[in-house]
Amino acid sequence: SETEQTDSNEKELEEISIMLDWYPNAVHSAIYVAEEKGYFEEQGLDVKIEMPADANDPLKLAATSKVDLAISYQNQVILSRAEGIPVVSVAAYVRHSLDSIMMKKEVGIESPKDLEGKNVGYPSTVITEAVIQTMVEADGGDFEKVTMTDVGWDLMPAIATGNVDAIGGGYINHEYVLLNKEGYDMNLLKLSDYGVPDNYELVIVAGEDTFNKKKETIKKFWQAIEKGHEFVKTNPEEGLQVLLANENDDSALDKEVETASLEILLPLMEDDGVPFGYQEEESWQEVADWLYEMGVIETQVDPKDIVQNIVSK
Amino acid sequence: MKQIKKWLQTYSLFCLFTIILLVIVEVLVRKGIVPNFIIPAPTGVVRTIVENWKPLLLEHLSVTMLEFLIGFAITVIGGIALAVSMFFSKIVEKIVYPAVVISQMIPIIALSPIFVMWFGYSIWSKVAVTVLISFFPIVVSTYDGLKSCDKEYVELLHSMGATRFQIFKKLHIPMALPSFFSGFKLAIVFALVGATIGEWLGASKGLGYYSRRMSGNLNAEGVFAAITILTILGILLFALASWLEKRTIYKWKDTD
Amino acid sequence: MKQIKKWLQTYSLFCLFTIILLVIVEVLVRKGIVPNFIIPAPTGVVRTIVENWKPLLLEHLSVTMLEFLIGFAITVIGGIALAVSMFFSKIVEKIVYPAVVISQMIPIIALSPIFVMWFGYSIWSKVAVTVLISFFPIVVSTYDGLKSCDKEYVELLHSMGATRFQIFKKLHIPMALPSFFSGFKLAIVFALVGATIGEWLGASKGLGYYSRRMSGNLNAEGVFAAITILTILGILLFALASWLEKRTIYKWKDTD
Amino acid sequence: MTVVVKNVSYAFEKNGESVISNLNMEVRQGEFVSLIGKSGTGKSTILRLLTGLLKQDEGEILLRNKEIALGDVGYMPQKDLLLPWRTVLDNIMMASEIQKDLQLTKEEARKWLERVGLKEYESALPKQLSGGMKQRVAFLRTLLTGKDVLLLDEPFGALDALTKKEMQSWLLSIWQDLNKTIIFITHDLEEAVYLSDRIFLLHRNKKVEEIVVDLPRPRDPDIFHSEKMMALRLELEKRISNETD
Amino acid sequence: MTVVVKNVSYAFEKNGESVISNLNMEVRQGEFVSLIGKSGTGKSTILRLLTGLLKQDEGEILLRNKEIALGDVGYMPQKDLLLPWRTVLDNIMMASEIQKDLQLTKEEARKWLERVGLKEYESALPKQLSGGMKQRVAFLRTLLTGKDVLLLDEPFGALDALTKKEMQSWLLSIWQDLNKTIIFITHDLEEAVYLSDRIFLLHRNKKVEEIVVDLPRPRDPDIFHSEKMMALRLELEKRISNETD
Ligand SMILES: Nc1ncnc2c1ncn2[C@@H]1O[C@H](COP(=O)(O)OP(=O)(O)OP(=O)(O)O)[C@@H](O)[C@H]1O
Ligand SMILES: Nc1ncnc2c1ncn2[C@@H]1O[C@H](COP(=O)(O)OP(=O)(O)OP(=O)(O)O)[C@@H](O)[C@H]1O
Ligand SMILES: [Mg+2]
Ligand SMILES: [Mg+2]
């Protein structure tokens, strides 16, 4: 009779899957807290958390309904829409850029202009190229003189071993913290200081079909996340503990690093006067315009097609 | 005893050489001449394997093996079926043979993002890579083996009034075995590499995933631990295939 | 004329089949049954190639070809040299043969991050992958070919008072050619795939890089454009090797 | 007549030069005939026509008044063509595996092996046999098809002088015991004379001469040294040499 | 004596049964001797000992009073062993390529081809030749080593009756013209008698009998039908059969 009961319990739970943007780290604390503390279950959800091998994959898999939700990047979503890939963004998870340019101090790069004649490693996306071009040019440099090397997602090995002089696409809360901890004396250049519009670093996306079918479920999902986020905000230490407890044997999360990371993250995940997750169309418009200007996208996209707020202001 | 002696004669030099190489690496790393993240100390790799044997073998190896087994089964069954139909039908042969050969020229890795979209992160994306990479040797070697049969033998059996099926069974199949096995031995190794590549491109378990994950973490010991296990597994599979070949080709007897 | 006719006879069915397949894909994509980012319309791929032929061929293809050429040259020269020394020295054979066979069992892709650490993002990391992936067929086929020489022929030349070097030149080399070429044909295709894999792991030029970048941009047409060019190139290289084989084996004449 | 070849012509390539042209030949039940002639005169081709492996372009080939078909006769090709993965015993059991109505027990097959002196080689593989032994196994395989007409393409070509002599006598005795019809190809004129009732001599110009061997039966190896034998051999040699080549 | 074999024994495996045991044999300059015997009696082994390819376990083998060495004699193995990628001409030029002091021009080689009736096949590849032609090429290759002593292992075994006869006469004429010393293996007793000055008959029990052929030289193919020839053949046959096997 006991098994019967659990059976019926499980039957009531609605399944929903989410693919993270990368392997679990501090930014995902809210999700793991929601899972651990039963917030998902409260909403009647059974959430399957998946990890990608390539940061480009989550969005694609959401578009092809291989997962219901994915954590992706605002830039990436606009780019996808421009390519006609049917995804919508349902919530802003991190409201500001985490992206930055990093280099070892010893290389002596003080501003983007100094990248001239240097080798910059970046992950397989044109957006980072556009970012660096914007920054170098804003700083009065010549982008043509910068060597760009696609290093895949092995950003840290690339810079650590000195195979490249600087990396783009690394996060201030992750790569930067980690590299410093490993004993490399790192410098970083902020994107917004050199003409790149601030953006929603992480957004939650869904395929158009999935969104239309599971709108209500997604709303419930977000409510659980919100609750998780509240918890982490008030008990960062405990929130991290949940994350670390969840780590699998082969991910090497370092408590110190993640604590520092979370400290950086929390202020960037919320803005005053805006509900957690709410997306402003102006932000989307601004980024889309910049991407269009830089020639990354060849067709203008309308933010209205992309933004499907599941929380209202 | 005699077999052990023969084995020693064949491999002792190689083993000696390998050991010397490992010792040199160990010394270089320990003395700090070569940094640990470029080549890990062999003892470090062994320690990693020993310390993590449980997740490595139970969690990751088992997943890789499952992908390998499904993929290789599909390859062998499908490959043989295809080779046989090519053998019996000129039309199938003319369509399939070039396609199979050309499939070899496709850089599978470049195709992998597409695979991820087709199959997601399910086991099937890894199975697909496994099959694609090991299909060619099986199909071509089986087909070539079937074709290789001397016309004079076929005529002899014809003259005895044998049916086409009898000739196929009593002549073409055994004649094809040596060629089939040379493809089989290649394919079994390729299939394992295929499963690893598949995982490398998108997975959450498996030795390929593990090694990629470790590489992202700058953990060279972890990378080499996974590679070591995969290589040993590859050698074992190859040895198994060779043993099967020996048994079948040298002792093969047709019974009705 | 006769050759064209023969070619048509051999490949017309395959071409027809390919065209039908492409038309089906085209229709499916145009009708929106299959979204463009899962499989691009063939015409779209062709358009991408035509529109971007300049960067594709001049910038990317040329880099890939350079990596391929360097890597393949190293493989062929080094592979033959190794095979010959294995042939002449039992000790070298006993050390190297197992190593070469085992190198086949290593999932190279898992080793690739290490390569990047060793060679950086220079051309040498791609060359290394190229060599590692194409070395095995050359060494093994050359060595097996040299070994395959019938003992009776060797005795005949011995009885004429031939030196070891004369026997090697007049007997072993020509006898090894058929086997060598079957390895050569494999290796040339593998080498191209190797260069692509190398680029996939980190590069700033080349078709592998291009395809990866397009995949990052979610531009399926671009991915397939690169794959198409690479595949055609692979076919051409294979055809070239086959032609070389035909010329050499069938017309080979030893002149002093 | 058991075997009748009527006006048969055959060319390997359509509209090519014919290898066999307007051939006529009749063989009685229980007769032993030989085909001799220089290399390339079409001896093997005639045998393959008689098995049904090749189809004549013109004329007809009848076995007991019926068009000849595959599986009607026992055929031993020029090469031994033993299946390398089968033991000697399994090789000679071949035909009985293929034709289910042929009831040959392993016991009987073993007896035959004993008769040709290969008793201990029952489970040897072909690669373990000498050339002569292989030829004997191949012959047994043909014999054990159980067919009435046996076509033998140079069965003793690879044997040494003495073994050859033994095999010849042995073949004669089997032939007499079993009342088989044998069509035999050889290069050895003495062999042809010793064994045959009639000899067909093939010429390069596609003409065929028939020589009747009027030596008494049963024949004894001593007959090799008889006047008559010598005379026949001389006659044959002369006819072959006279050929304007 | 050109070739002297003194008390030679040989076993393929150390401490194994010896194939050749206490063999004694002398061959004069310009002599033609044949080795006959059943299959496996060690005829080919003796030839390989005489080339220096095998090294006797005991005894000595002398060529003009010097220990025999590789490259001293012309050797034609049992299989034709033509190099498949070389034309006929290149195949027979083999030895002159290997031994630089051997000055053989292509012109001379072509003349030889003409003499064996292979003029048009100069640039044919071995696969395009019939078995008999291949054997002739292989013989030429041996002859054109320019060596004084030629060891021929069944050179005419694969030829048809008439071609064989032609080749025998041809071989005799070359031998007489060039004053070569020939050691010849055959299965064909008549051939042995027709060609040889002496015949060594090898037995299974490793004993060797010597038979002197006292037929006059030069010999004519007609000699085949002479009384004397018949008698010698009978004699040989009897000796072979008498062997307790
Ligand atoms: N499959 C084939 N295709 C074309 N021509 C062939 C084929 N088989 C044989 N020939 C030709 O037919 C002719 C007769 O060949 P066949 O084998 O019947 O001669 P044979 O008398 O048996 O010769 P041998 O005594 O050498 O065995 C030869 O000129 C040969 O070249
Ligand atoms: N390489 C070898 N290793 C071991 N034994 C061998 C080898 N070569 C020949 N023999 C054996 O030596 C014996 C003599 O062989 P050989 O070839 O000299 O005989 P032969 O008189 O030339 O026979 P044939 O007439 O069949 O050519 C045979 O019993 C054979 O099995
Ligand atoms: Mg024939
Ligand atoms: Mg011999």
Side-chain angles (χ1 to χ4, degrees):
Chain A
S1 65
E2 202 183 279
T3 47
E4 247 171 48
Q5 210 185 336
T6 43
D7 267 355
S8 62
N9 260 354
E10 270 173 19
K11 223 169 259 167
E12 283 165 21
L13 293 179
E14 232 178 311
E15 282 186 11
I16 188 165
S17 58
I18 177 164
M19 182 170 270
L20 306 183
D21 56 310
W22 196 232
Y23 298 104
N25 60 68
V27 81
H28 306 119
S29 303
I31 299 171
Y32 281 97
V33 166
E35 166 90 2
E36 200 60 31
K37 303 275 175 199
Y39 301 159
F40 287 141
E41 236 178 299
E42 280 170 19
Q43 297 289 341
L45 298 179
D46 175 18
V47 176
K48 191 166 165 242
I49 303 170
E50 298 184 45
M51 283 158 267
D54 186 305
N56 286 323
D57 285 349
L59 184 133
K60 287 190 242 172
L61 295 177
T64 52
S65 305
K66 295 282 187 300
V67 293
D68 296 321
L69 295 171
I71 303 185
S72 188
Y73 315 93
Q74 191 177 24
N75 292 321
Q76 187 87 28
V77 176
I78 294 170
L79 188 61
S80 310
R81 276 318 288 216
E83 289 287 341
I85 298 177
V87 287
V88 296
S89 172
V90 296
Y93 190 56
V94 175
R95 306 193 66 86
H96 299 280
S97 297
L98 298 174
D99 205 358
S100 64
I101 300 180
M102 286 167 220
M103 62 290 293
K104 291 184 191 159
K105 276 208 179 105
E106 68 212 42
V107 181
I109 297 170
E110 302 296 336
S111 77
K113 195 175 181 300
D114 300 338
L115 290 172
E116 284 182 2
K118 293 282 194 288
N119 190 353
V120 183
Y122 71 105
S124 314
T125 151
V126 259
I127 293 162
T128 316
E129 282 181 292
V131 164
I132 290 170
Q133 183 175 0
T134 305
M135 291 171 74
V136 171
E137 281 168 3
D139 197 30
D142 183 2
F143 179 65
E144 290 291 309
K145 290 184 183 152
V146 182
T147 310
M148 299 292 292
T149 300
D150 180 353
V151 299
W153 294 95
D154 292 333
L155 289 173
M156 281 193 291
I159 186 94
T161 55
N163 281 323
V164 293
D165 300 309
I167 51 170
Y171 279 0
I172 47 172
N173 67 313
H174 186 69
E175 277 84 359
Y176 184 67
V177 178
L178 209 64
L179 284 165
N180 272 318
K181 157 113 202 312
E182 289 273 333
Y184 303 103
D185 203 3
M186 301 304 292
N187 231 346
L188 70 81
L189 301 172
K190 278 211 168 124
L191 269 54
S192 46
D193 293 349
Y194 299 95
V196 181
D198 192 19
N199 64 357
Y200 297 154
E201 189 62 51
L202 297 180
V203 293
I204 311 282
V205 300
E208 235 162 31
D209 283 348
T210 314
F211 180 73
N212 291 335
K213 276 189 215 137
K214 299 195 172 175
K215 195 167 176 184
E216 290 315 309
T217 320
I218 294 171
K219 275 186 179 159
K220 288 185 211 158
F221 171 83
W222 189 250
Q223 278 161 22
I225 296 290
E226 223 180 315
K227 205 166 166 192
H229 179 64
E230 280 309 316
F231 181 91
V232 175
K233 236 171 37 181
T234 45
N235 314 294
E237 195 126 333
E238 203 181 325
L240 266 181
Q241 216 49 59
V242 172
L243 175 75
L244 294 174
N246 253 290
E247 78 171 312
N248 35 13
D249 303 288
D250 38 75
S251 65
L253 287 188
D254 182 306
K255 185 157 184 236
E256 219 178 294
V257 172
E258 296 311 313
T259 310
S261 168
L262 193 60
E263 232 168 79
I264 298 170
L265 277 170
L266 284 175
L268 302 176
M269 291 177 81
E270 259 186 298
D271 279 339
D272 289 340
V274 188
F276 180 55
Y278 183 80
Q279 310 167 76
E280 315 264 10
E281 276 178 18
E282 301 81 70
S283 161
W284 285 92
Q285 190 65 59
E286 198 184 342
V287 176
D289 286 345
W290 171 70
L291 286 172
Y292 184 73
E293 221 172 88
M294 294 307 295
V296 173
I297 56 174
E298 279 156 10
T299 45
Q300 286 275 22
V301 288
D302 185 355
K304 289 197 176 63
D305 295 339
I306 306 174
V307 180
Q308 296 286 354
N309 273 316
I310 46 173
V311 283
S312 38
K313 205 163 184 176
Chain B
M1 262 314 287
K2 216 175 151 194
Q3 283 207 324
I4 293 174
K5 208 177 145 194
K6 210 181 137 203
W7 193 92
L8 273 180
Q9 259 180 13
T10 318
Y11 295 111
S12 55
L13 261 176
F14 170 69
C15 293
L16 190 74
F17 179 76
T18 309
I19 290 168
I20 291 174
L21 205 75
L22 290 178
V23 168
I24 292 176
V25 171
E26 184 78 30
V27 169
L28 285 179
V29 175
R30 291 236 175 144
K31 293 221 164 181
I33 300 170
V34 174
N36 200 44
F37 66 80
I38 285 206
I39 297 191
T43 50
V45 175
V46 173
R47 194 171 0 89
T48 307
I49 295 180
V50 171
E51 277 172 12
N52 299 301
W53 73 269
K54 234 175 158 171
L56 272 172
L57 299 188
L58 300 186
E59 248 178 72
H60 297 296
L61 179 62
S62 60
V63 170
T64 307
M65 279 306 285
L66 184 68
E67 294 156 2
F68 160 77
L69 286 175
I70 296 178
F72 194 55
I74 292 176
T75 292
V76 171
I77 295 169
I80 293 177
L82 200 60
V84 171
S85 20
M86 278 160 70
F87 177 69
F88 278 112
S89 155
K90 203 92 203 135
I91 293 180
V92 175
E93 192 242 286
K94 290 213 162 159
I95 292 178
V96 171
Y97 202 96
V100 171
V101 172
I102 288 176
S103 82
Q104 247 345 57
M105 327 268 164
I106 300 174
I108 291 166
I109 196 166
L111 210 59
S112 57
I114 308 289
F115 275 15
V116 169
M117 282 205 254
W118 290 350
F119 301 108
Y121 274 18
S122 69
I123 193 168
W124 299 110
S125 65
K126 292 106 201 171
V127 170
V129 178
T130 307
V131 171
L132 199 60
I133 220 169
S134 60
F135 207 60
F136 175 82
I138 289 282
V139 174
V140 170
S141 69
T142 310
Y143 178 68
D144 286 354
L146 287 173
K147 277 260 152 175
S148 76
C149 184
D150 212 324
K151 219 185 110 206
E152 290 167 323
Y153 280 99
V154 178
E155 286 199 344
L156 176 71
L157 263 79
H158 260 309
S159 85
M160 291 181 179
T163 61
R164 199 163 177 191
F165 177 71
Q166 280 178 324
I167 293 179
F168 182 70
K169 195 179 131 202
K170 291 185 189 299
L171 206 57
H172 288 108
I173 292 182
M175 286 269 179
L177 282 178
S179 171
F180 167 78
F181 269 107
S182 65
F184 184 80
K185 284 191 293 184
L186 266 189
I188 205 167
V189 175
F190 281 11
L192 185 65
V193 171
T196 314
I197 295 184
E199 285 168 2
W200 190 263
L201 302 170
S204 46
K205 282 255 159 59
L207 287 170
Y209 156 85
Y210 181 88
S211 118
R212 173 163 190 168
R213 193 82 181 81
M214 290 300 125
S215 135
N217 288 349
L218 285 174
N219 180 344
E221 270 120 358
V223 175
F224 273 87
I227 291 178
T228 307
I229 295 175
L230 282 168
T231 305
I232 292 173
L233 191 63
I235 295 171
L236 289 180
L237 287 173
F238 186 80
L240 177 77
S242 302
W243 175 81
L244 220 65
E245 176 186 32
K246 235 183 195 147
R247 273 203 62 114
T248 317
I249 294 187
Y250 295 101
K251 306 227 165 180
W252 210 85
K253 263 198 217 173
D254 180 77
T255 40
D256 219 276
Chain C
M1 262 312 289
K2 217 177 150 193
Q3 285 206 323
I4 294 176
K5 209 178 142 193
K6 210 181 139 203
W7 193 92
L8 274 180
Q9 258 179 14
T10 318
Y11 295 111
S12 55
L13 260 176
F14 170 68
C15 293
L16 190 75
F17 179 76
T18 311
I19 291 168
I20 291 175
L21 206 73
L22 291 177
V23 169
I24 291 176
V25 171
E26 183 79 31
V27 170
L28 285 180
V29 175
R30 291 237 173 145
K31 292 224 163 180
I33 299 170
V34 174
N36 198 46
F37 64 92
I38 285 203
I39 298 189
T43 50
V45 176
V46 173
R47 196 174 354 93
T48 307
I49 296 179
V50 171
E51 278 171 12
N52 301 300
W53 73 268
K54 236 176 158 168
L56 271 172
L57 299 189
L58 300 186
E59 251 177 69
H60 298 294
L61 178 61
S62 60
V63 170
T64 306
M65 278 308 284
L66 183 68
E67 294 155 2
F68 160 77
L69 286 176
I70 297 177
F72 193 55
I74 293 176
T75 292
V76 171
I77 295 168
I80 292 176
L82 199 62
V84 171
S85 21
M86 278 160 70
F87 176 70
F88 278 111
S89 156
K90 203 91 203 135
I91 293 181
V92 175
E93 194 241 286
K94 289 215 166 162
I95 292 176
V96 171
Y97 202 95
V100 171
V101 172
I102 287 175
S103 81
Q104 241 353 52
M105 325 270 165
I106 301 173
I108 291 165
I109 195 163
L111 208 61
S112 55
I114 309 288
F115 275 14
V116 170
M117 286 193 209
W118 291 350
F119 301 107
Y121 292 103
S122 69
I123 193 168
W124 298 110
S125 64
K126 290 110 203 170
V127 169
V129 179
T130 306
V131 171
L132 198 61
I133 219 170
S134 60
F135 208 60
F136 175 82
I138 290 281
V139 175
V140 170
S141 69
T142 310
Y143 178 68
D144 287 354
L146 289 171
K147 278 260 152 176
S148 77
C149 184
D150 211 326
K151 217 185 110 206
E152 290 168 322
Y153 281 99
V154 178
E155 286 200 342
L156 176 71
L157 264 81
H158 259 308
S159 84
M160 291 181 178
T163 61
R164 197 164 178 191
F165 176 71
Q166 279 177 325
I167 293 179
F168 181 69
K169 194 179 130 203
K170 291 186 190 295
L171 206 58
H172 287 110
I173 293 182
M175 284 271 180
L177 282 179
S179 171
F180 167 77
F181 269 107
S182 66
F184 184 80
K185 284 190 294 182
L186 265 190
I188 203 168
V189 175
F190 281 12
L192 185 65
V193 172
T196 314
I197 294 184
E199 286 168 2
W200 192 262
L201 301 169
S204 44
K205 281 255 161 57
L207 286 171
Y209 156 83
Y210 182 87
S211 121
R212 174 162 186 157
R213 195 174 116 111
M214 287 301 127
S215 140
N217 280 358
L218 302 162
N219 179 342
E221 269 120 359
V223 174
F224 272 87
I227 291 177
T228 306
I229 295 175
L230 283 167
T231 305
I232 291 173
L233 192 62
I235 295 171
L236 289 179
L237 287 172
F238 185 81
L240 178 77
S242 302
W243 175 82
L244 221 65
E245 176 186 35
K246 234 183 196 148
R247 273 204 64 115
T248 318
I249 295 188
Y250 294 101
K251 307 227 165 180
W252 211 84
K253 264 198 219 175
D254 179 79
T255 42
D256 219 275
Chain D
M1 287 297 153
T2 301
V3 180
V4 176
V5 178
K6 231 189 269 174
N7 303 324
V8 165
S9 295
Y10 182 78
F12 276 101
E13 275 157 50
K14 234 187 134 115
N15 302 323
E17 210 204 343
S18 48
V19 175
I20 310 295
S21 158
N22 200 24
L23 176 74
N24 284 287
M25 208 170 119
E26 302 197 337
V27 183
R28 276 187 306 278
Q29 168 62 30
E31 202 180 9
F32 197 125
V33 303
S34 293
L35 305 181
I36 62 173
K38 285 192 185 175
S39 188
T41 44
K43 303 183 293 296
S44 298
T45 307
I46 293 178
L47 246 52
R48 291 168 72 216
L49 283 164
L50 288 174
T51 56
L53 284 169
L54 299 177
K55 191 76 202 152
Q56 67 272 19
D57 299 330
E58 281 165 43
E60 51 181 357
I61 300 176
L62 304 176
L63 176 72
R64 283 184 219 94
N65 300 321
K66 270 170 51 188
E67 186 78 3
I68 220 158
L70 283 167
D72 282 352
V73 298
Y75 169 58
M76 174 175 175
Q78 213 160 345
K79 293 190 201 159
D80 63 67
L81 297 183
L82 297 177
L83 301 185
W85 57 88
R86 282 179 171 236
T87 61
V88 166
L89 187 67
D90 285 343
N91 258 296
I92 64 172
M93 298 287 292
M94 239 0 239
S96 65
E97 278 176 31
I98 287 174
Q99 305 196 332
K100 304 287 153 141
D101 49 338
L102 197 74
Q103 266 147 15
L104 178 78
T105 63
K106 293 218 165 180
E107 263 330 299
E108 285 166 319
R110 280 200 191 93
K111 285 228 182 77
W112 278 109
L113 281 178
E114 194 167 349
R115 197 162 166 182
V116 294
L118 291 170
K119 196 183 166 192
E120 306 100 80
Y121 292 90
E122 174 189 324
S123 37
L125 291 174
K127 61 174 180 184
Q128 298 168 292
L129 304 182
S130 74
M133 288 168 162
K134 279 188 210 164
Q135 214 63 12
R136 276 180 270 171
V137 176
F139 176 74
L140 265 195
R141 179 176 58 186
T142 310
L143 184 67
L144 298 185
T145 54
K147 297 301 164 196
D148 188 44
V149 177
L150 303 182
L151 313 178
L152 312 179
D153 199 342
E154 283 196 67
F156 306 146
L159 306 185
D160 65 278
L162 190 66
T163 318
K164 192 172 182 171
K165 283 269 156 72
E166 284 169 7
M167 289 295 290
Q168 287 165 354
S169 303
W170 175 81
L171 178 62
L172 273 188
S173 77
I174 290 177
W175 170 68
Q176 272 150 359
D177 284 5
L178 305 180
N179 193 29
K180 298 275 182 196
T181 308
I182 293 185
I183 302 176
F184 190 92
I185 294 181
T186 180
H187 272 134
D188 182 335
L189 302 184
E190 273 188 349
E191 184 172 78
V193 174
Y194 174 50
L195 296 174
S196 319
D197 295 319
R198 283 183 297 150
I199 297 172
F200 291 94
L201 173 56
L202 279 69
H203 290 289
R204 283 268 155 87
N205 60 9
K206 277 126 212 166
K207 292 272 171 296
V208 179
E209 284 186 85
E210 183 186 324
I211 295 105
V212 178
V213 181
D214 48 358
L215 293 170
R217 301 264 187 193
R219 292 173 193 168
D220 197 78
D222 283 342
I223 212 172
F224 271 99
H225 316 303
S226 70
E227 292 279 307
K228 184 83 200 171
M229 179 93 171
M230 273 311 273
L232 273 166
R233 236 194 79 179
L234 263 173
E235 170 70 19
L236 276 174
E237 263 174 34
K238 214 172 293 158
R239 291 203 192 186
I240 296 183
S241 336
N242 281 349
E243 189 177 330
T244 50
D245 200 9
Chain E
M1 285 298 152
T2 302
V3 180
V4 176
V5 178
K6 232 189 268 172
N7 302 325
V8 164
S9 295
Y10 183 79
F12 276 99
E13 274 157 50
K14 234 187 136 119
N15 303 322
E17 209 204 340
S18 50
V19 177
I20 311 293
S21 156
N22 200 27
L23 177 74
N24 284 287
M25 208 169 117
E26 303 198 336
V27 184
R28 280 186 306 277
Q29 167 63 31
E31 203 179 8
F32 197 125
V33 303
S34 292
L35 304 181
I36 62 173
K38 286 193 187 176
S39 186
T41 44
K43 303 182 295 293
S44 299
T45 307
I46 294 177
L47 245 55
R48 291 170 71 213
L49 283 163
L50 289 172
T51 55
L53 283 170
L54 298 178
K55 191 79 201 148
Q56 67 272 19
D57 300 329
E58 282 166 41
E60 51 181 357
I61 301 176
L62 304 175
L63 177 71
R64 282 182 220 95
N65 300 320
K66 270 172 47 192
E67 185 78 3
I68 218 157
L70 282 168
D72 282 351
V73 298
Y75 169 57
M76 175 174 174
Q78 211 159 348
K79 293 189 201 162
D80 63 68
L81 297 183
L82 297 177
L83 301 185
W85 57 88
R86 283 179 169 238
T87 62
V88 166
L89 188 67
D90 285 343
N91 258 295
I92 64 173
M93 298 286 294
M94 234 9 235
S96 64
E97 280 176 30
I98 287 174
Q99 306 196 333
K100 303 288 153 141
D101 50 339
L102 196 74
Q103 263 147 19
L104 177 79
T105 63
K106 293 219 166 181
E107 263 330 298
E108 286 167 319
R110 280 201 191 93
K111 285 226 182 76
W112 278 109
L113 280 179
E114 195 167 348
R115 196 161 167 183
V116 294
L118 290 171
K119 197 185 166 192
E120 304 102 81
Y121 291 90
E122 176 190 322
S123 36
L125 291 172
K127 62 174 179 181
Q128 297 168 293
L129 304 182
S130 74
M133 288 168 161
K134 279 187 211 165
Q135 214 61 14
R136 275 181 271 171
V137 176
F139 176 75
L140 265 195
R141 179 176 57 188
T142 309
L143 185 68
L144 299 185
T145 54
K147 298 302 167 196
D148 188 43
V149 177
L150 303 183
L151 312 178
L152 312 180
D153 198 342
E154 282 197 69
F156 307 145
L159 307 185
D160 64 279
L162 190 67
T163 318
K164 190 172 185 173
K165 283 268 155 73
E166 284 169 7
M167 290 295 290
Q168 286 166 355
S169 304
W170 174 82
L171 178 62
L172 273 188
S173 76
I174 290 176
W175 170 68
Q176 272 149 1
D177 284 6
L178 305 179
N179 193 28
K180 298 275 182 196
T181 309
I182 293 184
I183 301 176
F184 189 91
I185 295 182
T186 180
H187 272 134
D188 183 335
L189 302 184
E190 273 188 348
E191 186 173 75
V193 174
Y194 175 50
L195 297 173
S196 321
D197 295 319
R198 282 183 299 151
I199 297 173
F200 292 93
L201 173 54
L202 280 70
H203 290 290
R204 282 269 156 86
N205 60 8
K206 279 129 211 164
K207 293 270 171 297
V208 179
E209 284 185 86
E210 183 187 324
I211 294 107
V212 177
V213 181
D214 50 356
L215 291 172
R217 301 264 187 195
R219 292 175 193 166
D220 197 80
D222 282 341
I223 212 172
F224 270 99
H225 315 301
S226 71
E227 291 280 306
K228 183 85 199 167
M229 177 92 172
M230 271 314 272
L232 274 165
R233 236 194 78 180
L234 262 173
E235 171 72 19
L236 277 175
E237 262 174 35
K238 216 171 291 156
R239 290 201 194 189
I240 297 184
S241 336
N242 281 349
E243 189 179 327
T244 47
D245 201 9

